[in-house]
Amino acid sequence: MKNLLIVANWKENKTVTEAIKFLEDFKASYEPRENVTVVICPSVLEVSEVKNFIESRNLKVEVGVQDVSEYKEGAHTGEISATQAAEFAKYVIIGHSERRALGETDDEIARKITNAKSARLIPILCVQNEDTPIAENTQIIAYEPIGAIGTGNPDTPKNAERIAVLIKEKNANIKYVLYGGSVTGENVQNFINMPNISGVLVGGASLNAASFSSIIKNA
Ligand code: PGA
């Protein structure tokens, strides 16, 4: 059985109250699996409460953030450094297409990855196709074709596998290639069945405890 990574990207959703309600519902339906690591990435304002809930209830879930600053520290109003994030989180999503659409460049992304690693955060680098630059020593990639995100039109598992193989051929250090884009409890297994897909990055379907649990169960 291969090791899987299932990552929830809550994006700009949920207040603390809503996040705790999600976790209470999720705890009731979640069946941890030996080979599956589950990561929840709330917005930074929820991270501390989510971490406290997970630890106090002994939930087998890791915490991630959705971005970190390209700067290490200093006079950068509104930014959150990798070191600050690492007090709460173990993982960080970097280079999501929604951030690239706001102007984030490959150079900024490379600096974010460097900062994440030096703060001992594990970066999950989002790429849109096989040509997106991948910083050296990146171990987790999420292949997320733009047209599949939030549209209900996922890529085909066969194409996702083809891209995963190309990415791995070009980058020897990669341990996990995840697929992201309109993943649901109904389609997740088709992606996981592909030999080179080792998990999923889930947006919309991770916002509801029952649908996120069903993705974990069916993966
Ligand atoms: P989606 O988003 O599951 O809502 O398509 C995925 C993502 O943006 O990571």
Side-chain angles (χ1 to χ4, degrees):
M1 225 188 310
K2 64 184 169 184
N3 289 327
L4 302 178
L5 194 56
I6 298 186
V7 184
N9 177 10
W10 283 356
K11 307 188 180 181
E12 191 183 344
N13 293 293
K14 295 195 191 298
T15 61
V16 168
T17 312
E18 288 164 349
I20 297 304
K21 170 81 175 82
F22 171 99
L23 291 170
E24 272 160 3
D25 294 346
F26 180 68
K27 188 175 182 298
S29 55
Y30 171 44
E31 291 166 26
R33 295 174 50 192
E34 201 54 51
N35 62 320
V36 179
T37 301
V38 174
V39 183
I40 293 181
C41 304
S43 83
V44 281
L45 288 175
E46 277 69 55
V47 161
S48 162
E49 292 284 346
V50 166
K51 181 182 187 320
N52 285 344
F53 185 101
I54 286 169
E55 284 180 356
S56 65
R57 311 296 201 288
N58 257 328
L59 214 52
K60 200 182 161 236
V61 172
E62 303 290 349
V63 179
V65 288
Q66 300 169 17
D67 190 27
V68 283
S69 173
E70 64 173 305
Y71 310 107
K72 281 202 181 304
E73 65 177 344
H76 308 290
T77 301
E79 295 287 347
I80 288 149
S81 75
T83 308
Q84 290 170 321
E87 285 198 326
F88 302 97
K90 186 165 171 190
Y91 291 83
V92 54
I93 298 169
I94 292 180
H96 192 281
S97 58
E98 288 158 9
R99 299 214 54 82
R100 292 179 194 258
L102 295 171
E104 191 167 274
T105 65
D106 289 323
D107 285 348
E108 285 165 16
I109 288 166
R111 286 194 285 277
K112 289 178 179 199
I113 297 226
T114 303
N115 292 348
K117 282 196 193 138
S118 58
R120 298 189 180 279
L121 277 175
I122 303 171
I124 300 167
L125 173 64
C126 298
V127 304
Q128 288 65 55
N129 54 52
E130 68 273 30
D131 297 325
T132 309
I134 294 176
E136 231 179 276
N137 293 328
T138 309
Q139 294 190 334
I140 307 176
I141 296 295
Y143 161 58
E144 298 206 308
I146 290 174
I149 295 178
T151 59
N153 291 317
D155 199 351
T156 60
K158 209 173 150 201
N159 194 53
E161 169 70 9
R162 183 183 73 82
I163 304 281
V165 169
L166 287 172
I167 289 171
K168 281 186 173 174
E169 274 171 9
K170 285 202 246 175
N171 302 276
N173 292 318
I174 289 172
K175 288 205 175 126
Y176 291 84
V177 178
L178 316 182
Y179 167 75
S182 298
V183 172
T184 65
E186 284 77 52
N187 65 26
V188 65
Q189 203 174 41
N190 300 332
F191 290 100
I192 298 301
N193 282 344
M194 296 291 123
N196 288 285
I197 304 280
S198 304
V200 285
L201 177 52
V202 189
S206 74
L207 294 174
N208 174 281
S211 61
F212 190 50
S213 297
S214 85
I215 288 174
I216 296 163
K217 196 168 161 213
N218 297 343

